[in-house]
Amino acid sequence: MSIIALGLNHKTAPVDIREKVTFGPDIIVGALRSLQENPAVEETVILSTCNRTEVYCSINQKDHEPLADWISRFHGIGEDRVSPYLYSHFGLDAVKHLLRVSCGLDSLVLGEPQILGQVKAAFQTATDAGTTGKMLFKLFQHAFSAAKQIRTDTAIGNSPVSVAFAAVSLAKQIFSDLSKQTALLIGAGETIELAARHLNQHGIGRIIVANRTVERAHNLAAQFDGYAIALTELSRHLAEADIVISSTASPLPVLGKGSVESALKERRHSPIFMVDIAVPRDIEPEVADLSDIYLYTVDDLDEVIQENMRSREEAAEQAEEIIDHYVGEYMGWLRSLDAVGLIQDYRSYAERLRDEVMQKALQQLAKGKSPEEVMQFMAHTLTNKLLHNPSAQMRQAGFNGQVELLEAANTLFQLNKSENKS
């Protein structure tokens, strides 16, 4: 039995291929059960995100062809279209791959934390569908433990590496308690939505979303109990904002120096933190000359991001050491499974001998023999029966010059340690 990981991701496949092999919530359970019907597959988990689709299985053969063929057939795509983008890992490499994925070391953004939640959700879905067992259960628990330790013991998740996250992190440096602040977000695209999520996670007091299309602004604001305004209303609401983050596609600035001056007067010069993420810029550069304005551009944030990326890369080296430790632990546990059957067989053999000798001892007691005689018979007979086969094999090993077998027997029976104790 071996662990296999098969899949494709943002590094190996373009988006038009990735989107063809995703497993959405409506088909994931059916897919798990379909895959488990394969005679080679014992247990399985499917991880499907916008950046990756991966299948993790305990499998009774070292061959990924059945899995690759299944992915193609399930999605109705020619195997020749999918196979060039697939990667596969077996055994130790598969274990290490899952741990690196779970810890964000294989992500588009190094160390991003969202992937761990996605891995946990994928495992829970597979468990609920009945497609996991002891091998994958143990593996994924190791992955979760490794991710937790890496988050605790390294700085891999401490430094923002997205523009939106960097903007919100700077805001926290200026306003230590965001719960008392109002954020004005200009635009309603992906970056602004991400900024809104980060602000919400950090407990922002209030969110206002301004956009050319008010309906889009409303849809975004409603997710965070905020309210929407049109771009034409910016000057009327600017004084309410402690934090302004702007990212539109406007070819001209949407916020000028005059509007900001008016807002500062209305605020009695209470400071405003501004981040202009847009290219070309949304906020006139002259705004930076105003007192009580902290204006950052995308270039300023890029310096923060690059510095933080270097910090994450250093932390990633520590993370790899932690991962190696957990990989070693899991592989040791996996190898120990090979001995379970042998141990069970040996115990059954010893118990059969015990029962045979016990039956003969009871018969002797029934015939009137003394307990002392019967106990001596039991001890002598059981000892001889248990030692007969091992003794014969060691004698033969000595005759054949099988030194390794004799050394293994010494390790197995702990003979030297027994002598030392006596």
PDB file of all heavy atoms in Angstrom, residues 345-355 382 386:
ATOM      1  N   ASP A 345       0.043 -12.441  13.868  1.00  0.00           N
ATOM      2  CA  ASP A 345       0.221 -13.872  13.594  1.00  0.00           C
ATOM      3  C   ASP A 345       1.038 -14.540  14.694  1.00  0.00           C
ATOM      4  O   ASP A 345       0.721 -15.661  15.126  1.00  0.00           O
ATOM      5  CB  ASP A 345       0.923 -14.062  12.241  1.00  0.00           C
ATOM      6  CG  ASP A 345       0.027 -13.697  11.068  1.00  0.00           C
ATOM      7  OD1 ASP A 345      -1.203 -13.573  11.269  1.00  0.00           O
ATOM      8  OD2 ASP A 345       0.549 -13.515   9.951  1.00  0.00           O
ATOM      9  N   TYR A 346       2.092 -13.845  15.150  1.00  0.00           N
ATOM     10  CA  TYR A 346       2.938 -14.434  16.182  1.00  0.00           C
ATOM     11  C   TYR A 346       2.187 -14.568  17.507  1.00  0.00           C
ATOM     12  O   TYR A 346       2.317 -15.576  18.218  1.00  0.00           O
ATOM     13  CB  TYR A 346       4.201 -13.597  16.372  1.00  0.00           C
ATOM     14  CG  TYR A 346       5.197 -14.246  17.310  1.00  0.00           C
ATOM     15  CD1 TYR A 346       5.855 -15.425  16.952  1.00  0.00           C
ATOM     16  CD2 TYR A 346       5.475 -13.698  18.560  1.00  0.00           C
ATOM     17  CE1 TYR A 346       6.759 -16.034  17.806  1.00  0.00           C
ATOM     18  CE2 TYR A 346       6.372 -14.291  19.424  1.00  0.00           C
ATOM     19  CZ  TYR A 346       7.012 -15.471  19.039  1.00  0.00           C
ATOM     20  OH  TYR A 346       7.902 -16.075  19.895  1.00  0.00           O
ATOM     21  N   ARG A 347       1.374 -13.562  17.809  1.00  0.00           N
ATOM     22  CA  ARG A 347       0.569 -13.638  19.033  1.00  0.00           C
ATOM     23  C   ARG A 347      -0.430 -14.799  18.958  1.00  0.00           C
ATOM     24  O   ARG A 347      -0.638 -15.525  19.933  1.00  0.00           O
ATOM     25  CB  ARG A 347      -0.180 -12.326  19.268  1.00  0.00           C
ATOM     26  CG  ARG A 347       0.686 -11.218  19.855  1.00  0.00           C
ATOM     27  CD  ARG A 347      -0.142 -10.006  20.214  1.00  0.00           C
ATOM     28  NE  ARG A 347       0.637  -9.043  20.950  1.00  0.00           N
ATOM     29  CZ  ARG A 347       0.857  -9.075  22.266  1.00  0.00           C
ATOM     30  NH1 ARG A 347       0.334 -10.067  22.980  1.00  0.00           N
ATOM     31  NH2 ARG A 347       1.594  -8.164  22.874  1.00  0.00           N
ATOM     32  N   SER A 348      -1.060 -14.943  17.794  1.00  0.00           N
ATOM     33  CA  SER A 348      -2.024 -16.039  17.625  1.00  0.00           C
ATOM     34  C   SER A 348      -1.334 -17.392  17.786  1.00  0.00           C
ATOM     35  O   SER A 348      -1.877 -18.321  18.412  1.00  0.00           O
ATOM     36  CB  SER A 348      -2.684 -15.949  16.245  1.00  0.00           C
ATOM     37  OG  SER A 348      -3.425 -14.764  16.128  1.00  0.00           O
ATOM     38  N   TYR A 349      -0.122 -17.507  17.226  1.00  0.00           N
ATOM     39  CA  TYR A 349       0.650 -18.745  17.338  1.00  0.00           C
ATOM     40  C   TYR A 349       0.965 -19.045  18.808  1.00  0.00           C
ATOM     41  O   TYR A 349       0.780 -20.176  19.284  1.00  0.00           O
ATOM     42  CB  TYR A 349       1.937 -18.594  16.529  1.00  0.00           C
ATOM     43  CG  TYR A 349       2.979 -19.643  16.799  1.00  0.00           C
ATOM     44  CD1 TYR A 349       2.812 -20.958  16.352  1.00  0.00           C
ATOM     45  CD2 TYR A 349       4.149 -19.312  17.486  1.00  0.00           C
ATOM     46  CE1 TYR A 349       3.785 -21.916  16.596  1.00  0.00           C
ATOM     47  CE2 TYR A 349       5.134 -20.262  17.732  1.00  0.00           C
ATOM     48  CZ  TYR A 349       4.943 -21.567  17.291  1.00  0.00           C
ATOM     49  OH  TYR A 349       5.899 -22.525  17.544  1.00  0.00           O
ATOM     50  N   ALA A 350       1.420 -18.010  19.542  1.00  0.00           N
ATOM     51  CA  ALA A 350       1.759 -18.206  20.953  1.00  0.00           C
ATOM     52  C   ALA A 350       0.521 -18.571  21.766  1.00  0.00           C
ATOM     53  O   ALA A 350       0.582 -19.412  22.687  1.00  0.00           O
ATOM     54  CB  ALA A 350       2.407 -16.942  21.511  1.00  0.00           C
ATOM     55  N   GLU A 351      -0.610 -17.957  21.456  1.00  0.00           N
ATOM     56  CA  GLU A 351      -1.847 -18.242  22.191  1.00  0.00           C
ATOM     57  C   GLU A 351      -2.337 -19.672  21.922  1.00  0.00           C
ATOM     58  O   GLU A 351      -2.877 -20.336  22.825  1.00  0.00           O
ATOM     59  CB  GLU A 351      -2.909 -17.214  21.823  1.00  0.00           C
ATOM     60  CG  GLU A 351      -2.630 -15.837  22.443  1.00  0.00           C
ATOM     61  CD  GLU A 351      -3.490 -14.741  21.843  1.00  0.00           C
ATOM     62  OE1 GLU A 351      -4.297 -15.046  20.932  1.00  0.00           O
ATOM     63  OE2 GLU A 351      -3.352 -13.577  22.278  1.00  0.00           O
ATOM     64  N   ARG A 352      -2.130 -20.155  20.682  1.00  0.00           N
ATOM     65  CA  ARG A 352      -2.509 -21.537  20.372  1.00  0.00           C
ATOM     66  C   ARG A 352      -1.669 -22.518  21.194  1.00  0.00           C
ATOM     67  O   ARG A 352      -2.189 -23.493  21.758  1.00  0.00           O
ATOM     68  CB  ARG A 352      -2.337 -21.827  18.880  1.00  0.00           C
ATOM     69  CG  ARG A 352      -3.430 -21.264  18.003  1.00  0.00           C
ATOM     70  CD  ARG A 352      -3.429 -21.930  16.622  1.00  0.00           C
ATOM     71  NE  ARG A 352      -2.135 -21.873  15.958  1.00  0.00           N
ATOM     72  CZ  ARG A 352      -1.731 -20.852  15.212  1.00  0.00           C
ATOM     73  NH1 ARG A 352      -2.532 -19.801  15.054  1.00  0.00           N
ATOM     74  NH2 ARG A 352      -0.540 -20.886  14.637  1.00  0.00           N
ATOM     75  N   LEU A 353      -0.350 -22.242  21.251  1.00  0.00           N
ATOM     76  CA  LEU A 353       0.522 -23.093  22.065  1.00  0.00           C
ATOM     77  C   LEU A 353       0.103 -23.066  23.530  1.00  0.00           C
ATOM     78  O   LEU A 353       0.061 -24.110  24.205  1.00  0.00           O
ATOM     79  CB  LEU A 353       1.978 -22.634  21.932  1.00  0.00           C
ATOM     80  CG  LEU A 353       2.644 -22.810  20.568  1.00  0.00           C
ATOM     81  CD1 LEU A 353       4.081 -22.327  20.628  1.00  0.00           C
ATOM     82  CD2 LEU A 353       2.600 -24.272  20.121  1.00  0.00           C
ATOM     83  N   ARG A 354      -0.184 -21.875  24.026  1.00  0.00           N
ATOM     84  CA  ARG A 354      -0.615 -21.724  25.425  1.00  0.00           C
ATOM     85  C   ARG A 354      -1.853 -22.570  25.697  1.00  0.00           C
ATOM     86  O   ARG A 354      -1.936 -23.287  26.722  1.00  0.00           O
ATOM     87  CB  ARG A 354      -0.906 -20.259  25.705  1.00  0.00           C
ATOM     88  CG  ARG A 354      -1.436 -19.970  27.117  1.00  0.00           C
ATOM     89  CD  ARG A 354      -2.178 -18.653  27.115  1.00  0.00           C
ATOM     90  NE  ARG A 354      -3.354 -18.691  26.254  1.00  0.00           N
ATOM     91  CZ  ARG A 354      -3.994 -17.622  25.801  1.00  0.00           C
ATOM     92  NH1 ARG A 354      -3.548 -16.413  26.090  1.00  0.00           N
ATOM     93  NH2 ARG A 354      -5.069 -17.758  25.040  1.00  0.00           N
ATOM     94  N   ASP A 355      -2.837 -22.497  24.794  1.00  0.00           N
ATOM     95  CA  ASP A 355      -4.095 -23.227  25.004  1.00  0.00           C
ATOM     96  C   ASP A 355      -3.871 -24.740  24.973  1.00  0.00           C
ATOM     97  O   ASP A 355      -4.486 -25.493  25.748  1.00  0.00           O
ATOM     98  CB  ASP A 355      -5.116 -22.831  23.931  1.00  0.00           C
ATOM     99  CG  ASP A 355      -5.576 -21.387  24.078  1.00  0.00           C
ATOM    100  OD1 ASP A 355      -5.360 -20.803  25.152  1.00  0.00           O
ATOM    101  OD2 ASP A 355      -6.143 -20.829  23.101  1.00  0.00           O
ATOM    102  N   LEU A 382       5.833 -25.233  27.635  1.00  0.00           N
ATOM    103  CA  LEU A 382       5.544 -23.987  26.919  1.00  0.00           C
ATOM    104  C   LEU A 382       6.850 -23.306  26.484  1.00  0.00           C
ATOM    105  O   LEU A 382       6.954 -22.795  25.369  1.00  0.00           O
ATOM    106  CB  LEU A 382       4.729 -23.051  27.809  1.00  0.00           C
ATOM    107  CG  LEU A 382       4.169 -21.799  27.123  1.00  0.00           C
ATOM    108  CD1 LEU A 382       3.310 -22.159  25.928  1.00  0.00           C
ATOM    109  CD2 LEU A 382       3.337 -20.972  28.114  1.00  0.00           C
ATOM    110  N   LEU A 386       7.780 -22.605  22.536  1.00  0.00           N
ATOM    111  CA  LEU A 386       8.003 -21.232  22.064  1.00  0.00           C
ATOM    112  C   LEU A 386       9.405 -21.038  21.492  1.00  0.00           C
ATOM    113  O   LEU A 386       9.619 -20.258  20.562  1.00  0.00           O
ATOM    114  CB  LEU A 386       7.766 -20.238  23.205  1.00  0.00           C
ATOM    115  CG  LEU A 386       6.301 -19.997  23.587  1.00  0.00           C
ATOM    116  CD1 LEU A 386       6.223 -19.142  24.853  1.00  0.00           C
ATOM    117  CD2 LEU A 386       5.537 -19.321  22.452  1.00  0.00           C
TER     118      LEU A 386
END
